[in-house]
Amino acid sequence: MIISSASDYRAAAQKRLPPFLFHYIDGGAYAEKTLRRNVDDLAEVALRQRVLKDMSKLDTSIELFGEKLSIPVALSPVGLTGMYARRGEVQAARAADAKGVPFCMSSVSVCPIEEVVPRIKRPMWFQLYVLKDRGFMQNALERAQAAGCSTLVFTVDMPVPGARYRDAHSGMSGPNAAMRRYLQAVTHPRWAWDVGLMGKPHDLGNISAYLGKPTGLADYMGYLGANFDPSISWKDLEWIREFWKGPMVIKGILDPEDARDAVRFGADGIIVSNHGGRQLDGVLSSARALPAIADAVKGQIKILADSGVRNGLDVVRMIALGADAVMIGRAYIYALAAAGEAGVAHLLELLEKEMRVAMTLTSVSRVADITSDLLVHEA
Ligand code: FNR
């Protein structure tokens, strides 16, 4: 099988993973409108082709929060990454590290913070959810800070979990889920190691470390299900702002008013995101939400964006729409599930190559020159 894109990796991941895991990654909420729009709206963004400007010297690097990135990309936090490939967080983090881009660990990772940090040279980013169990939040923050994580990504678009029908059908959630997961795992030819489904409990890293006992997938789903916190407001974030010494980024902003609130709150950055279409279906794609948010806060706060980015051209498009940097979720997760660390490394190389093509054909030699001037405004 020839692999030259994220969608090739998606097909390879589908062959390799038991269906409940593939659909957990691939799916979105309700009718999956926003999931599709994220990709389709980006693909519709037309850039101005310019020619004959000597594009032999291109620089794809940027500086973000005092860190140098070889391309303006970071890996989005993705829960249960260590289930898609063995010790998956370590593998993804190492590929990101080698490429010179940040890896953001999800708070619901399989590998604990302390396992990943020593395996990479760059400081890791850490993502936190709002959970009712403030003890978990405090514990995770303390451990992330002690381990030397640089940037805190605080995800605010999941005060409640989205309704994901595929998960109910696939056995990821719902009645008899554990039994259905078990059957899929044991009957799936290429996926047969322990994930808390095979009799041997698997540590779900950060949560196990906090609870002080191994937690398999069923315990984890129960813990998380009981701990989403719809009461959260900006006020509740103040102690975190106080506590966290490094940059703090708010993930899940889709509205210019919320972006302004993030500036007032004193965040260092926002991530324009609809959680990859996994939360409120029907909301704007990130590509469509971004220009108004950039109008409201560009220059006052760093703007990152994710949801729908599948290639290097999409990276350039997101930046032209107003982002300072871009994050990728499924694109690298498919590559990880299909081919581990080497897959993620390859995917990141593809992104850079494709970015270079897009920059050459739009005649911009630096990321700072990728602006809304590049957009074609059709009459
Ligand atoms: C996510 N996302 C996510 N976000 C977060 O803040 N914490 C998390 O634990 C997770 N978990 C998670 C699991 C899976 C399987 C997916 C696909 C996504 C959302 C993620 O960070 C990011 O916002 C989206 O993946 C971006 O959309 P694309 O790039 O997947 O289209």
Side-chain angles (χ1 to χ4, degrees), residues 24-25 76-79 84 106 108 127 129 155 251 273 275-276 278 306-308 310 328-330:
Y24 176 65
I25 297 166
S76 289
V78 169
Y84 319 135
S106 164
V108 290
Q127 174 264 331
Y129 274 127
T155 301
K251 177 171 184 282
S273 173
H275 216 102
R278 298 164 78 79
D306 77 12
S307 299
R310 297 290 181 271
I328 52 168
R330 292 182 185 82

Side-chain angles (χ1 to χ4, degrees), residues 164-376:
R164 302 179 194 157
Y165 297 150
R166 277 206 234 184
D167 288 349
H169 285 270
S170 71
M172 184 67 178
S173 62
N176 304 323
M179 177 55 76
R180 286 162 64 208
R181 288 196 298 264
Y182 176 79
L183 288 175
Q184 283 184 31
V186 292
T187 53
H188 208 270
R190 300 207 200 129
W191 194 88
W193 63 78
D194 62 306
V195 288
L197 306 168
M198 316 283 284
K200 182 179 166 202
H202 193 293
D203 270 350
L204 278 164
N206 292 325
I207 292 181
S208 307
Y210 169 62
L211 296 177
K213 58 173 185 161
T215 38
L217 188 58
D219 305 323
Y220 153 79
M221 298 292 271
Y223 173 82
L224 206 60
N227 266 291
F228 287 110
D229 187 356
S231 79
I232 187 82
S233 68
W234 286 106
K235 231 183 141 9
D236 297 297
L237 270 58
E238 277 164 14
W239 68 269
I240 299 169
R241 174 73 289 189
E242 288 280 291
F243 180 85
W244 190 259
K245 304 284 176 279
M248 180 171 169
V249 180
I250 310 290
K251 177 171 184 282
I253 299 288
L254 216 53
D255 190 283
E257 281 309 312
D258 287 338
R260 286 195 189 95
D261 283 345
V263 172
R264 278 192 281 273
F265 168 77
D268 300 278
I270 52 171
I271 304 174
V272 175
S273 173
N274 51 41
H275 216 102
R278 298 164 78 79
Q279 286 296 94
L280 185 60
D281 196 27
V283 292
L284 286 184
S285 63
S286 287
R288 286 199 50 205
L290 195 44
I293 292 174
D295 276 352
V297 299
K298 183 105 182 179
Q300 300 172 53
I301 194 168
K302 287 289 177 192
I303 304 177
L304 288 79
D306 77 12
S307 299
V309 176
R310 297 290 181 271
N311 56 54
L313 173 55
D314 289 343
V315 172
V316 174
R317 286 167 161 149
M318 277 290 202
I319 295 174
L321 291 167
D324 295 300
V326 172
M327 297 183 78
I328 52 168
R330 292 182 185 82
Y332 90 84
I333 289 295
Y334 294 139
L336 178 75
E341 181 179 337
V344 181
H346 178 223
L347 193 272
L348 290 169
E349 281 316 311
L350 288 175
L351 288 191
E352 176 173 343
K353 275 199 191 122
E354 292 162 349
M355 264 195 82
R356 286 181 176 276
V357 173
M359 289 172 74
T360 304
L361 291 171
T362 52
S363 293
V364 287
S365 54
R366 300 175 317 149
V367 175
D369 297 334
I370 303 174
T371 66
S372 58
D373 280 352
L374 254 56
L375 299 172
V376 174

